[in-house]
Amino acid sequence: MENIICHVADNANLRNTKHESLESRLFDTLAASPDPSAAARTSEPIQTILGLCRSKYGRDARPCFANALFAHDAAGEWQLCERMDPLLLRALRPAPQTFPGTTQSSLPSSIPRSAVSNAADLGEFFSPQTSKVVYNGLAYVGKHPRDWNRLDADFAEVQNALNLPRPHPNLLPAPQHLVTASPTDGRVCGFLLAYYPNGDLYQWSRKLSSQGRLSESILHEWAVAIASAMQFLLECGEWHGDLKPDNIFVGEEGDLVLADRTRSFATIAFASPELLDDQIVMLNEVGRVQYQARGAKRARQYLGLPAEWPLEAKEKSEVYAYGVLLLVLIRKMSLRDVYRKARDAGSRYLDWSVTREEAACFPTLAVIIEPCVRSKPSDRPTFIAILRKLRSCNRKS
């Protein structure tokens, strides 16, 4: 049930925990609990609500597209209600206002969310605002804003794709359809992206590894494809901001496409030292981690590359993430372990040095990775230099 958004209404059992609002996210309650006794009092209703979720949806179903679950205590008995978050519904806007600067002709076609159904096979784990859906008999990845205060950030993926002057084979294309709230309500509540049955690069690399097919030549091809896409973005004055294996999809022929280019979020495990050094990590009044760039007036709930950084500085930060990504792949590391280690390290960045054994097993990639993960941005190469080196190594082999 971890891929379903559930909100919980305030009640006596939960009042001893710190909440962001009366309708707080179910899974925040334990994490935000100020003391063990409060956590124990909170856990009983949470387990009850989880039981209701499992009973209603099991493993093979989920709420309708863009809906969330709401749990409320009715006369001492917990009940579930499925609907779109009213706060999110209130914040929605028509397509021209959602994607300013775009013409109607450049926007994807719009369809009502009632025309979108959940796929019979849910496939691999998706984030709460992402699911495998079906429209007109074809499979898509359906995405909608996680909540009202992330509306602009989650729709930025569409805006950024529409802003590119032309497509690139290693970048996820713009959505094929926008999804509206209803047949009579033209406000945009989500969008449909191409579905890639091979999943993301992390899943695909583990599958190839289990079959003994993950060779350095394949890793080399991936390195070229990713670097090529990143260089294209830079030439367009753009960047990705959250480069990691689970943000790269794999096509039917094994081709890679970079996805989730909101430019709003970064993952701490792949964040460069200068990005972490630039951020003051703090807890807000409800116990959530927040990030505030030094000198900035406001904190952000999510880590991200500062928009005010020069493009050259953004590139060096992206090069670091690129090096870490390749190192994770050659080490066949579990992403769960990577994220856990990064979370435990906090604002201290991890040591991603290439070992002698790795240099011996992956000599070509080791030469690429080592300078990418250097702590000083000025010591890292550009993507142009990386591509030259990769192509040079390819010619020699």
Side-chain angles (χ1 to χ4, degrees):
M1 298 309 301
E2 53 192 332
N3 60 346
I4 291 179
I5 296 175
C6 188
H7 303 268
V8 114
D10 190 31
N11 80 94
N13 291 328
L14 300 180
R15 250 173 234 145
N16 288 326
T17 64
K18 292 182 179 180
H19 283 305
E20 184 176 9
S21 65
L22 292 181
E23 290 180 332
S24 301
R25 294 205 174 283
L26 174 65
F27 301 110
D28 282 348
T29 53
L30 279 176
S33 179
D35 61 74
S37 60
R41 289 192 297 274
T42 301
S43 63
E44 184 176 348
I46 284 183
Q47 293 307 318
T48 301
I49 295 167
L50 286 174
L52 290 171
C53 289
R54 294 188 187 103
S55 175
K56 185 176 178 67
Y57 295 99
R59 286 189 165 275
D60 301 320
R62 60 179 300 146
C64 295
F65 183 81
N67 273 359
L69 288 180
F70 286 81
H72 64 280
D73 187 352
E77 182 176 346
W78 284 99
Q79 296 181 359
L80 289 180
C81 173
E82 178 187 327
R83 67 180 188 272
M84 186 182 289
D85 182 352
L87 294 176
L88 174 60
L89 183 61
R90 194 181 309 155
L92 298 179
R93 302 181 297 265
Q97 294 172 247
T98 304
F99 310 110
T102 56
T103 62
Q104 191 65 39
S105 60
S106 66
L107 289 171
S109 61
S110 294
I111 59 172
R113 70 187 185 113
S114 57
V116 178
S117 59
N118 292 323
D121 58 316
L122 292 178
E124 298 293 335
F125 172 75
F126 283 111
S127 61
Q129 71 269 32
T130 310
S131 59
K132 182 181 177 183
V133 298
V134 175
Y135 169 65
N136 269 358
L138 299 176
Y140 295 90
V141 172
K143 298 188 75 171
H144 58 84
R146 187 183 180 103
D147 50 47
W148 68 272
N149 59 5
R150 266 184 48 157
L151 190 72
D152 291 337
D154 286 331
F155 278 141
E157 181 176 1
V158 180
Q159 183 76 68
N160 294 335
L162 294 172
N163 287 345
L164 291 178
R166 60 189 183 280
H168 186 279
N170 300 117
L171 288 175
L172 186 68
Q176 300 186 19
H177 303 284
L178 300 178
V179 182
T180 59
S182 76
T184 57
D185 186 343
R187 292 177 297 166
V188 179
C189 67
F191 51 94
L192 303 187
L193 296 163
Y195 175 69
Y196 292 84
N198 285 328
D200 62 47
L201 184 57
Y202 172 67
Q203 298 164 336
W204 186 241
S205 66
R206 289 175 73 86
K207 181 178 181 178
L208 293 186
S209 178
S210 68
Q211 298 172 347
R213 296 165 51 203
L214 188 59
S215 63
E216 185 174 22
S217 62
I218 289 177
L219 289 164
H220 185 277
E221 290 176 10
W222 292 351
V224 171
I226 297 167
S228 175
M230 296 301 295
Q231 178 56 32
F232 173 78
L233 288 175
L234 290 165
E235 290 171 359
C236 298
E238 297 281 338
W239 66 98
H240 188 283
D242 195 15
L243 197 56
K244 57 181 182 177
D246 41 342
N247 273 348
I248 301 173
F249 293 148
V250 184
E252 292 185 6
E253 303 300 322
D255 48 309
L256 305 187
V257 291
L258 276 60
D260 208 16
R261 199 172 60 84
T262 67
R263 304 190 317 188
S264 303
F265 314 112
T267 302
I268 193 169
F270 295 84
S272 64
E274 64 270 22
L275 176 56
L276 293 177
D277 290 344
D278 183 67
Q279 307 290 315
I280 304 169
V281 182
M282 65 190 77
L283 294 178
N284 67 7
E285 66 276 7
V286 297
R288 279 188 171 176
V289 174
Q290 287 194 317
Y291 304 90
Q292 183 168 336
R294 300 183 189 279
K297 295 181 179 180
R298 296 180 61 186
R300 289 161 42 95
Q301 189 175 332
Y302 305 96
L303 181 68
L305 275 176
E308 65 273 13
W309 278 14
L311 193 59
E312 295 78 9
K314 293 189 180 95
E315 178 181 14
K316 291 305 181 78
S317 188
E318 301 264 54
V319 165
Y320 184 90
Y322 172 82
V324 174
L325 183 159
L326 295 178
L327 202 51
V328 166
L329 292 177
I330 69 171
R331 289 179 178 175
K332 305 173 185 177
M333 298 177 72
S334 160
L335 277 185
R336 180 171 294 184
D337 290 342
V338 171
Y339 295 151
R340 178 182 52 79
K341 289 177 182 178
R343 185 182 65 246
D344 294 344
S347 59
R348 304 184 308 277
Y349 61 90
L350 301 174
D351 181 12
W352 292 106
S353 303
V354 178
T355 66
R356 290 183 179 179
E357 292 79 6
E358 289 162 348
C361 293
F362 301 93
T364 301
L365 287 177
V367 171
I368 299 297
I369 294 170
E370 189 279 325
C372 290
V373 294
R374 290 173 181 167
S375 57
K376 286 186 178 181
S378 58
D379 291 341
R380 295 177 212 143
T382 62
F383 278 110
I384 278 284
I386 291 170
L387 283 169
R388 288 189 187 127
K389 189 73 174 177
L390 284 167
R391 287 161 180 159
S392 171
C393 293
N394 198 35
R395 285 193 296 271
K396 290 177 183 177
S397 60

